[in-house]
Amino acid sequence: MNPVGEGGFSEVITAKAPAPGWWLVAGTGLFAVLVTGSSFVLVATGRRRALITVNVVGTMVHEAGHALVACLTGGGVYRFRITSPDSGHVLAWHKTWWSSLAITAAGYSAPPLAGLGAAALLHKGQAAAVLTLTVAMSLLILWVARDLLTLGCVVTIGGIAAGALFWGPPDVQVLVAYLEAWLLLFSELGGLTYLVVNRMRGWESGSDDAASMAEQTSIPGVVWIVAWFALVVWSLWTAIPLLWP
């Protein structure tokens, strides 16, 4: 257990975790694959599986990507909303066409890049840093969350990270951090597949990120989908050697 007393806070968040066993890395990775598989089941059959609920981690980071880039490019966020484990919406404002483009592109880019960043930290034994960033992100999102479902999802994710960080033994910190990293790396595969299948069925939505990018750039949405797929694959290719013990 990690008590938080005088000088304890900095010690907790900078603590170096023990190296994980291969079984933990493989087990958390397999779980993330199963969660992604439940997304594919939803795309193919329209039927939800309980495991898809866990994908809310990726959804939160997807929407946080939109929100973060809005703030970094001189804009802001009015509202942050998670509508289901695999969908959400950020109401943001921007100053320029370039910032609008960056905000839209950031959604599907954020989870794989965040997963890669988490893998780099875990490679250095910094599981506590991964959990600290998760708690910080959750606290920031609470400022712009307005509905009960979003509040519940954000508090749950932030609470699990905080519980593992401040009261969990090192092995639990490693378990939670590795699970989060794998979930982020895989999370957008289901969402991107959904965009492809919708277009194949003629159900293209003018409001999804790919359609929005196409409208702003005159570059077909399928090009942006392929680019996001490539980013996910590259992130996985780069992260796996970092995560494997």
Side-chain angles (χ1 to χ4, degrees):
M1 186 172 291
N2 298 303
V4 183
E6 184 177 352
F9 182 77
S10 61
E11 292 178 5
V12 167
I13 65 176
T14 59
K16 189 169 183 178
W22 68 266
W23 56 270
L24 184 146
V25 179
T28 52
L30 177 60
F31 183 78
V33 170
L34 292 175
V35 172
T36 299
S38 69
S39 296
F40 290 137
V41 170
L42 176 62
V43 171
T45 67
R47 297 178 180 178
R48 290 184 176 273
R49 295 291 184 265
L51 272 178
I52 201 172
T53 304
V54 184
N55 204 43
V56 72
V57 175
T59 299
M60 188 171 87
V61 174
H62 176 116
E63 302 304 334
H66 289 310
L68 176 63
V69 173
C71 295
L72 291 177
T73 55
V77 178
Y78 296 115
R79 179 176 297 176
F80 184 108
R81 188 179 183 191
I82 295 173
T83 54
S84 73
D86 52 347
S87 64
H89 177 70
V90 166
L91 182 60
W93 60 276
H94 55 84
K95 289 187 174 182
T96 67
W97 175 83
W98 286 106
S99 62
S100 174
L101 191 65
I103 291 166
T104 307
Y108 282 105
S109 304
L113 291 177
L116 179 56
L121 289 171
L122 290 169
H123 184 66
K124 298 178 181 179
Q126 300 296 323
V130 174
L131 299 176
T132 301
L133 290 171
T134 305
V135 173
M137 176 184 67
S138 301
L139 291 173
L140 290 172
I141 291 173
L142 288 177
W143 284 99
V144 286
R146 296 291 182 269
D147 62 286
L148 290 178
L149 177 60
T150 303
L151 289 170
C153 292
V154 174
V155 169
T156 298
I157 294 170
I160 291 172
L165 178 64
F166 294 113
W167 298 286
D171 288 345
V172 171
Q173 293 183 4
V174 171
L175 174 66
V176 175
Y178 267 82
L179 181 58
E180 180 179 356
W182 282 120
L183 287 170
L184 292 175
L185 287 165
F186 280 103
S187 66
E188 295 296 20
L189 289 175
L192 290 170
T193 301
Y194 183 72
L195 296 184
V196 172
V197 170
N198 275 357
R199 282 158 174 75
M200 292 175 62
R201 293 172 175 171
W203 298 347
E204 180 176 346
S205 170
S207 62
D208 66 45
D209 287 355
S212 180
M213 291 293 289
E215 182 180 354
Q216 294 180 76
T217 64
S218 298
I219 298 173
V222 66
V223 175
W224 296 106
I225 294 172
V226 170
W228 283 319
F229 263 121
L231 178 61
V232 172
V233 171
W234 173 79
S235 298
L236 276 165
W237 180 267
T238 308
I240 288 173
L242 296 174
L243 290 170
W244 197 255

